[in-house]
Amino acid sequence: MRRTRMASFALCLGVLAGCQATPDDDAAHEVASAAVLVAPPQKGVMPRTVVAWGEVSQGAPYQHMITLPFDGSLATLKVAQGEAVHRGQVLASFDLAPDARATMDMARTGVQSAAASLAHVRRLRNDALATDEQVVQASKALADAQAAFAVFAQAGSADSSVALRAPVDGTVATVAVSPGQVVAANTPLLAISPTASLTVAAGVEPGAAGMVRAGMPVDLELVGGTRRMSGHVLGIAGAIDAQTRLVPVRIRPDASPMPGSTWRAEITVGEAAGWTAPADAVVDDSRGRCVYQVRDGKAHRVDVRVVLERGDRVLLSGDIDPSVPLVTAGGPQLAEGMTVVTSGGGR
């Protein structure tokens, strides 16, 4: 559509040039008319925004560290640092050390033995051959045996190998061991950064910080990429960072960005109303900024102020007549009172 309009615009210029030239006058002369594109003036609103730049981060207190309460070695590793994972997903497998396997077998046997002993004591009690105190003691012995085996059961060790699973949806923040590496009990193996705790640690110019409030919507764009997502402001600091000279602001993204990635954040702090127009409609001349409107085939200059700019659109304030067509292309060639040919072909 834009190409068609511009082609029509160029054609109009050619027609004007042909009409203004005469066989007897080949010298340069002042152009008394011009061809332009017009459109009806439109009222509208645009969001007021503040731009911030930041990096996806997460403090160590938010990370889930995966450990096991026994010695062994990492058998296989199914994920890499920075990879997104889901709750319950198998991340790696861990082989118990011989001593740990022996301890697990003893704990399993202890549970079986204590359970059999309790059943036997209960039968004797039913026949009045054992006391209530003996039943209580047998019950306690079974509870102790189950607690000893629970260390292995909670880790998912049905045999000599344990599957390490993601405790939450998130991103693999750290892989602390390598396959085949022997580690002691309670050694950190992997760390998972929960998706819900990822934030963009950004900064805004001090002059704009006063407009930013918690809960304001944010449009995020990956620096150097095409990914976009929305989010909201979690909070803003009350002081300027000594290193960046910006005011820190924390943003919670609605999706799952990669930790360490850099984002451009556009925070919507409000909105403004006015006349909306293409940026090409605004003309800068010796008197300032203006637009032109076409009344009775003549160009009329109107002073304007650019309230907001967003892409190739602008929001204007000024004494624009809503009933008179607005010049959207070709404005720089105009002057007050100049005869114009509009994109519709009429004067």
Side-chain angles (χ1 to χ4, degrees):
M1 178 65 72
R2 183 175 179 84
R3 291 182 178 175
T4 302
R5 293 175 62 196
M6 294 308 295
S8 300
F9 183 41
L11 179 60
C12 289
L13 288 176
V15 171
L16 279 174
C19 292
Q20 292 162 357
T22 64
D24 299 326
D25 184 11
D26 294 330
H29 60 278
E30 182 180 356
V31 176
S33 60
V36 298
L37 298 179
V38 296
Q42 292 185 339
K43 285 276 192 177
V45 296
M46 279 190 181
R48 292 185 180 274
T49 60
V50 170
V51 175
W53 301 84
E55 182 177 289
V56 177
S57 65
Q58 182 182 62
Y62 296 100
Q63 294 181 354
H64 287 250
M65 190 64 68
I66 298 176
T67 63
L68 290 175
F70 29 72
D71 301 343
S73 62
L74 195 68
T76 61
L77 182 63
K78 300 181 181 295
V79 294
Q81 186 172 335
E83 185 173 337
V85 296
H86 302 288
R87 180 185 180 91
Q89 179 180 339
V90 176
L91 309 178
S93 61
F94 186 88
D95 287 343
L96 277 64
D99 290 347
R101 288 200 296 269
T103 301
M104 182 183 68
D105 291 339
M106 289 177 60
R108 182 186 293 110
T109 300
V111 171
Q112 296 170 349
S113 177
S117 177
L118 176 60
H120 178 66
V121 172
R122 282 174 174 169
R123 287 195 298 271
L124 292 177
R125 178 65 185 85
N126 292 336
D127 294 335
L129 298 175
T131 64
D132 291 339
E133 183 178 354
Q134 288 174 311
V135 174
V136 171
Q137 290 175 347
S139 298
K140 184 179 182 305
L142 176 60
D144 292 342
Q146 290 172 333
F149 184 67
V151 173
F152 298 92
Q154 289 173 2
S157 53
D159 48 34
S160 61
S161 182
V162 179
L164 304 181
R165 299 180 180 275
V168 293
D169 291 344
T171 304
V172 179
T174 305
V175 178
V177 295
S178 302
Q181 182 178 345
V182 178
V183 296
N186 300 313
T187 297
L189 304 175
L190 297 96
I192 306 298
S193 296
T195 299
S197 63
L198 289 174
T199 62
V200 177
V204 298
E205 293 289 343
M211 296 184 286
V212 179
R213 299 285 185 274
M216 286 182 168
V218 182
D219 289 326
L220 292 161
E221 181 179 5
L222 179 64
V223 175
T226 59
R227 189 179 182 190
R228 303 180 68 94
M229 65 181 65
S230 58
H232 64 276
V233 175
L234 283 177
I236 184 166
I240 298 174
D241 184 272
Q243 294 182 333
T244 65
R245 306 308 301 167
L246 300 174
V247 178
V249 57
R250 291 187 301 113
I251 299 168
R252 171 64 52 76
D254 293 339
S256 305
M258 181 180 295
S261 56
T262 303
W263 295 77
R264 179 184 184 272
E266 199 168 84
I267 305 168
T268 299
V269 297
E271 64 180 18
W275 297 101
T276 60
D280 290 342
V282 181
V283 177
D284 288 299
D285 60 20
S286 59
R287 295 168 56 188
R289 285 183 162 181
C290 67
V291 295
Y292 282 92
Q293 292 188 271
V294 180
R295 182 184 292 110
D296 299 328
K298 303 290 185 180
H300 294 279
R301 186 183 184 280
V302 180
D303 288 318
V304 295
R305 182 175 68 88
V306 177
V307 179
L308 292 173
E309 296 184 48
R310 195 170 183 87
D312 60 354
R313 302 288 295 178
V314 292
L315 187 74
L316 307 173
S317 65
D319 192 18
I320 295 175
D321 189 335
S323 64
V324 178
L326 177 72
V327 175
T328 58
Q333 63 182 320
L334 300 180
E336 178 67 30
M338 180 181 287
T339 300
V340 296
V341 176
T342 68
S343 56
R347 285 188 171 226

